[in-house]
Amino acid sequence: MDKKQLQQRVTEQRRRVRRRLTIRGVLSLLVVLTFIRCAFMQRYENMFVCVLSLVLLAMPTLIEKQLAIDIPPMMEAIIYCFIYAAEILGEINSFYTIIPGWDTMLHTLNGFLAAAIGFSMVDILNRTERFSFKLAPIYMSIVAFCFSMTIGVVWEFFEFAMDRLFLLDMHKDT
């Protein structure tokens, strides 16, 4: 790799990081503003949700650094938007009850995200030299689908358990 190619690669990497930080930064700012609004309204549970959202917005970057993997920028942006849509818009701004189908839309998006994560995990294993197997694309797709369905079922079990054990309304059906 010559010097010009290396410089182009570094420039592209900087653009990706700047774009990623911009999306995360804007959403984080909106979460902080929501936190301040909740503080004025003395909604302490919602303030906790805001803090949780900020932690979740930092997770993709932490995962990338800890596991030394590269999450594609588009996938990372979708994850950030999903977190904001579920926690801030859905929970705090009551979009789950105001907008019909909000929960269905987020569950569908979560299914695609889980499938992409499952596919990526198998792809990482396929590319590494430490393992001696290589899966065909059809098997990778099956694994991604099964991973997505498993995540969805586990989440529904979690929601049901929270509703029954702690008398919450995670299903938003009461």
Side-chain angles (χ1 to χ4, degrees):
M1 185 179 292
D2 67 346
K3 188 174 181 178
K4 186 174 182 174
Q5 288 176 329
L6 182 62
Q7 188 176 18
Q8 287 175 340
R9 194 171 179 190
V10 168
T11 303
E12 178 60 29
Q13 183 68 18
R14 285 182 183 157
R15 270 194 223 123
R16 287 178 61 193
V17 168
R18 199 174 312 123
R19 192 175 321 129
R20 176 181 303 153
L21 292 177
T22 301
I23 293 169
R24 190 174 110 198
V26 168
L27 292 176
S28 296
L29 177 64
L30 291 173
V31 171
V32 169
L33 292 173
T34 303
F35 179 88
I36 293 168
R37 185 187 82 191
C38 292
F40 279 120
M41 297 171 70
Q42 296 180 349
R43 295 194 174 171
Y44 302 112
E45 183 180 328
N46 289 348
M47 290 170 63
F48 174 75
V49 171
C50 288
V51 171
L52 174 66
S53 297
L54 290 172
V55 170
L56 290 173
L57 288 171
M59 290 305 291
T61 305
L62 294 174
I63 290 171
E64 277 186 324
K65 288 181 181 175
Q66 290 295 326
L67 301 178
I69 59 172
D70 185 35
I71 300 173
M74 182 60 74
M75 188 165 143
E76 197 167 346
I78 292 170
I79 290 169
Y80 291 145
C81 291
F82 176 80
I83 292 167
Y84 186 80
E87 298 302 323
I88 304 303
L89 297 178
E91 290 294 333
I92 294 176
N93 293 329
S94 302
F95 277 30
Y96 285 120
T97 54
I98 295 171
I99 299 177
W102 186 261
D103 189 48
T104 303
M105 186 252 327
L106 286 180
H107 274 75
T108 303
L109 181 60
N110 186 42
F112 285 113
L113 276 174
I117 290 168
F119 188 87
S120 297
M121 287 182 351
V122 174
D123 187 47
I124 288 169
L125 290 175
N126 259 354
R127 292 179 188 203
T128 187
E129 300 297 324
R130 293 188 297 176
F131 299 102
S132 61
F133 70 90
K134 299 289 182 205
L135 289 179
I138 186 70
Y139 292 115
M140 290 179 63
S141 299
I142 291 170
V143 168
F145 175 79
C146 291
F147 183 81
S148 174
M149 291 297 108
T150 302
I151 295 295
V153 168
V154 168
W155 179 253
E156 291 301 323
F157 284 162
F158 173 74
E159 282 184 339
F160 179 78
M162 292 295 107
D163 287 352
R164 291 295 174 162
L165 297 175
F166 299 106
L167 303 176
L168 298 175
D169 188 25
M170 292 187 75
H171 280 114
K172 305 290 186 249
D173 58 354
T174 57

